[in-house]
Structure formats: C-alpha cells, structure tokens
Amino acid sequence: MNPDVSVRRVVTPEKPAEALFREAEGASLLVVGSLGRGRIRRSLLGSVSHAVVNRASCPVAVLRAG
C-alpha cells in the first residue's frame, strides 16, 4: 500500500449513493465497484455506480468484478 494514499472505510445508515456523494466532496478520486453478473449485466453499471459517475464532485473510477 502506498503511504501517500488515504483509504477510509465508513459505515453509515444513508442510501449508498448519497453517502458516496458526501464522501466525494474534497476527494481526489472516488473508487466504486460494479458487480454485474452475466454477460449483458457486466457491460452495464449498477444503479449506485451510475448515479455516482454522473453526479460525484470528483473523478470516479469504476472497478468491475473479475
């Protein structure tokens, strides 16, 4: 792990997308996962990933399973 990279784990009762928007404020990069199962679903973003990509206040990286 790079000592210059800060990684935090946060547990919150908020809806996932709303919590991620809040956490993205002031961030350099937000990384989210996309689990799409099956050939067609793998090519699509999930609802949270889609919302975050479209509305986050910082760059977003979406990592796909597999």
Side-chain angles (χ1 to χ4, degrees):
M1 207 166 165
N2 185 328
D4 295 331
V5 175
S6 173
V7 177
R8 295 185 317 135
R9 186 179 325 176
V10 177
V11 178
T12 177
E14 295 172 272
K15 292 181 179 178
E18 296 301 322
L20 289 168
F21 297 144
R22 181 178 42 77
E23 291 297 321
E25 293 175 14
S28 300
L29 176 69
L30 179 66
V31 180
V32 296
S34 181
L35 286 178
R37 300 176 199 277
R39 189 184 318 166
I40 292 181
R41 290 198 67 189
R42 259 195 307 269
S43 67
L44 303 173
L45 292 178
S47 60
V48 173
S49 297
H50 183 72
V52 170
V53 164
N54 285 308
R55 290 184 41 207
S57 59
C58 67
V60 177
V62 179
L63 302 181
R64 297 183 186 273

